[in-house]
Amino acid sequence: QNVEFQKWNSFSFITVQGIAGEQTAKVMDIDADARTYIIQDPFELYAAEVIKSEIAKTMISHVPNILLQNGEVLIIGPGGGIDVVFALAWGAKAVDAVEINPIIVDDVMLDKYRAYSGNLYARPEVYVHKSEGRSFVARANKSYDMVQLTLVDTWAATSAGAFSLSENNLYTVEAFTDYINHLKPDGVVAVTRWLSAKPKEGLRLMAIAMESARQLGIVNPHQHIVIIGSNAMAETEQEMMTLIFKKSPFNQQEVRQIEKRIELMKGRMVFSPEMRVSNEFTQFAYAPDPQRFYEGYEFNITPSTDNQPFFFHALKGADLAKIMTLDLESRKNNIGLFNLYVAAVLSLILVLAFLIGPLVLSKAGRTMLGDWTAIRPLTYFVFIGLGFIMIEIALMQKLILFLGHPVYALAVVLTVILISAGTGSYLTRNHDHQTSRRYGRYIFPAIITGVVVITFALPLIIEATFGLQLFWRILIASVIVAPIGVLLGQPFPIELKAVEHHRREIIPWVWSLNGAASVLGSVAAVALAMAYGFTAVLLIGAGCYVMAFLTRGRGLNS
């Protein structure tokens, strides 16, 4: 392949290469799968009418622009700028382009390919912001004629088959609410994604839009939605689709405009307020009870939320056999569920083989298992292992939205919780086995109270401070995590002192089972989050500390 540019950063791999037989465009690949295009000097080589009549035919994402006149546009994830080109061709007077990846902005569009792209990202009408989309919208103090997202996601997890397990807070009910709230009275939200023969992403996107509209008090939300499809650029068996949500209801003239436009590009109308052809989208739009429709539909299309932001998870329950029957993109996006269960089974087998097995098979182990003074502390350390990792993972995932990217959340939460937990452990250094037992009576209620308070206070804190710059959000996240980390670091050492005094011979098993519980708990945390949400994982983590407290009882001597 004719690779002209490549560069890594902490969360992506960017390459730019030429297209065989094509001199007027370059292709930019993000994480070797997500693709965007850079058009050569678009407004020098082409008149706006040529862009509108010829180039735009290849991308269905351009269609919402026909509804705008001298509009102000927000583009989340502009990549190589093709949507910026379309917005300008249709006369947008201002374009806010929000790109999270600094390589795309600084190294590609404003450096190596600045001249090639016709200085696109430095045009006076274009304002480029290196930021995460949701946090930018939260900070924005203006309204737009269009908020646009075209195939925005990072597919770095795809090669590991973990895409359905990756969180995407751009496609949630709360996100859509933010977009709608930043629209002018007749503004539109336009989201382009993939449309498979049996709709999954597309139908879930419609469900998200309609649920958001209902929560905003919009009556008959289906009258605000048009969905169009085209395979003009599809390189898989799926079509590309664009959902257009208009803040005011669509009128007949606007629907006709869209119909005429998609006829030019040999596309099709998938759904409109005037459409009466029966398909999954019309059935859902007019379903008297959306919940019953979700339950009866073959795939999981319930609206994803910030608490359960698994937009790409399309399978219901553990129906792993269905993965291989999915279309290519859906299979790729859901194979992560299979990997999750494989990881769980392998972890359990290894724990049974190398930890539980020797306990059961050896004479010393069987003797230990028959002694409650040994079983009780082992159970205690299993519970705090499960609780610690569940709380850590849940906090990490909940702060992804707040900090703007999984890498930031991982770095901040992992660093702060390990340092603060180590500090908490250090604070117990002067306790002996007797004083540490008395101290434990207070530490467990403090942990449980702290986790419950964080569970319910965190959404309020995030909402109040979401619009701040990244530095301040990192500082706030650290202040939130550090106190609970100090508390979580203390139950292990205070009980270890008692074990060391009364049953020193079980210390190796204490460390082993606690570590095993952390491994199994990490898999369980993700599975529970997909089923019940990260709030539930936090509360279950607190519940593990309740069980540890009850298991601890009056001590090894009791």
Side-chain angles (χ1 to χ4, degrees):
Q1 294 183 348
N2 182 24
V3 176
E4 301 175 354
F5 171 89
Q6 62 180 19
K7 188 172 182 179
W8 290 89
N9 61 10
S10 60
F11 56 84
S12 69
F13 177 49
I14 306 297
T15 63
V16 180
Q17 60 192 37
I19 304 172
E22 177 60 65
Q23 300 298 318
T24 59
K26 305 286 184 182
V27 61
M28 186 194 310
D29 282 329
I30 305 165
D31 300 324
D33 209 333
R35 177 160 288 188
T36 181
Y37 294 87
I38 307 171
I39 300 176
Q40 183 182 8
D41 210 356
F43 296 103
E44 285 294 326
L45 296 181
Y46 310 100
E49 290 304 317
V50 174
I51 294 173
K52 292 159 69 172
S53 62
E54 297 300 325
I55 297 176
K57 285 183 181 179
T58 64
M59 281 288 288
I60 197 170
S61 62
H62 81 272
V63 174
N65 288 284
I66 70 174
L67 301 174
L68 309 180
Q69 292 184 352
N70 299 319
E72 294 182 276
V73 178
L74 169 61
I75 299 175
I76 296 175
I82 193 165
D83 284 331
V84 177
V85 172
F86 293 151
L88 295 176
W90 263 272
K93 64 182 180 182
V95 178
D96 281 326
V98 181
E99 176 57 62
I100 191 173
N101 199 320
I103 294 177
I104 294 176
V105 178
D106 296 330
D107 298 276
V108 178
M109 300 302 294
L110 291 178
D111 187 7
K112 186 172 177 62
Y113 294 90
R114 179 170 183 152
Y116 182 88
S117 66
N119 211 25
L120 181 66
Y121 276 20
R123 289 176 64 97
E125 315 97 314
V126 179
Y127 305 89
V128 181
H129 309 268
K130 287 180 286 185
S131 179
E132 188 274 330
R134 284 286 300 277
S135 58
F136 178 86
V137 171
R139 294 195 306 271
N141 56 5
K142 61 186 289 189
S143 297
Y144 295 93
D145 296 281
M146 179 166 71
V147 176
Q148 184 170 37
L149 302 88
T150 300
L151 300 176
V152 182
D153 36 59
T154 174
W155 288 24
T158 304
S159 59
F163 201 39
S164 66
L165 308 183
S166 64
E167 304 77 17
N168 197 315
N169 293 102
L170 293 174
Y171 305 121
T172 66
V173 173
E174 294 87 345
F176 223 91
T177 300
D178 285 344
Y179 306 149
I180 295 172
N181 283 334
H182 281 81
L183 292 179
K184 295 179 181 179
D186 290 322
V188 299
V189 178
V191 185
T192 299
R193 292 231 46 93
W194 298 105
L195 178 62
S196 51
K198 186 70 174 179
K200 292 173 279 294
E201 283 186 25
L203 205 52
R204 170 169 265 171
L205 192 59
M206 185 180 190
I208 290 170
M210 291 183 65
E211 178 60 28
S212 176
R214 290 190 187 99
Q215 292 185 11
L216 288 170
I218 296 176
V219 181
N220 297 322
H222 64 276
Q223 294 181 357
H224 299 248
I225 294 174
V226 167
I227 303 174
I228 54 179
S230 169
N231 59 6
M233 277 290 291
E235 297 174 359
T236 69
E237 58 198 82
Q238 293 180 302
E239 287 182 274
M240 195 178 286
M241 59 154 277
T242 295
L243 178 144
I244 309 170
F245 180 94
K246 189 165 175 281
K247 196 168 185 179
S248 59
F250 276 98
N251 57 48
Q252 287 185 346
Q253 181 181 356
E254 290 165 335
V255 174
R256 295 292 176 267
Q257 276 184 280
I258 295 172
E259 287 175 341
K260 289 179 181 178
R261 187 67 200 176
I262 60 175
E263 284 174 7
L264 294 175
M265 59 185 301
K266 298 181 180 179
R268 68 186 180 101
M269 185 69 76
V270 177
F271 175 82
S272 78
E274 300 180 8
M275 190 171 176
R276 294 297 178 265
V277 176
S278 180
N279 61 24
E280 292 89 349
F281 293 90
T282 55
Q283 291 165 15
F284 174 66
Y286 298 102
D289 184 353
Q291 189 59 44
R292 289 191 62 184
F293 188 93
Y294 300 145
E295 293 170 358
Y297 196 68
E298 181 179 356
F299 295 102
N300 179 12
I301 59 158
T302 54
S304 48
T305 64
D306 286 346
N307 187 42
Q308 288 178 280
F310 300 99
F311 176 78
F312 302 101
H313 174 46
L315 297 182
K316 286 187 173 181
D319 194 2
L320 301 181
K322 190 176 288 186
I323 290 176
M324 300 314 295
T325 67
L326 299 174
D327 53 82
L328 177 62
E329 296 298 323
S330 298
R331 190 186 319 144
K332 183 170 58 178
N333 292 351
N334 284 273
I335 197 71
L337 186 64
F338 175 79
N339 292 344
L340 176 68
Y341 282 97
V342 168
V345 171
L346 289 177
S347 299
L348 185 59
I349 290 173
L350 292 172
V351 168
L352 291 174
F354 293 102
L355 298 179
I356 307 300
L359 270 176
V360 175
L361 298 176
S362 67
K363 183 178 179 180
R366 288 194 297 272
T367 301
M368 190 184 303
L369 289 173
D371 186 348
W372 178 242
T373 62
I375 292 298
R376 175 179 286 176
L378 292 179
T379 306
Y380 168 93
F381 285 102
V382 167
F383 276 124
I384 64 171
L386 290 171
F388 186 96
I389 197 68
M390 285 189 175
I391 292 169
E392 180 183 31
I393 288 177
L395 285 174
M396 201 178 297
Q397 303 299 336
K398 277 184 165 289
L399 288 169
I400 286 175
L401 170 62
F402 186 53
L403 298 176
H405 197 278
V407 169
Y408 302 150
L410 175 66
V412 172
V413 175
L414 195 59
T415 300
V416 173
I417 206 165
L418 289 180
I419 292 174
S420 58
T423 302
S425 180
Y426 179 75
L427 293 175
T428 68
R429 69 193 184 280
N430 294 325
H431 290 287
D432 58 24
H433 69 280
Q434 293 178 328
T435 59
S436 66
R437 179 151 297 281
R438 292 194 294 271
Y439 182 67
R441 297 172 186 171
Y442 306 101
I443 195 66
F444 280 91
I447 289 173
I448 295 160
T449 302
V451 173
V452 172
V453 169
I454 283 180
T455 299
F456 296 102
L458 190 57
L460 301 176
I461 296 171
I462 290 175
E463 183 179 358
T465 60
F466 197 27
L468 298 177
Q469 294 296 326
L470 179 62
F471 171 83
W472 296 109
R473 284 181 280 136
I474 289 175
L475 185 61
I476 291 169
S478 300
V479 170
I480 292 170
V481 173
I484 196 68
V486 170
L487 294 174
L488 293 178
Q490 298 184 47
F492 189 102
I494 62 175
E495 189 67 12
L496 191 62
K497 293 177 187 294
V499 171
E500 187 176 21
H501 181 78
H502 295 288
R503 294 298 303 266
R504 189 179 185 86
E505 74 277 9
I506 71 171
I507 287 179
W509 298 107
V510 162
W511 285 98
S512 299
L513 290 177
N514 180 263
S518 296
V519 173
L520 294 175
S522 63
V523 179
V526 177
L528 289 168
M530 295 181 76
Y532 305 109
F534 287 114
T535 296
V537 175
L538 268 175
L539 294 176
I540 291 170
C544 288
Y545 278 91
V546 172
M547 294 304 298
F549 182 63
L550 296 176
T551 302
R552 189 170 184 263
R554 296 189 304 277
L556 290 166
N557 294 344
S558 60

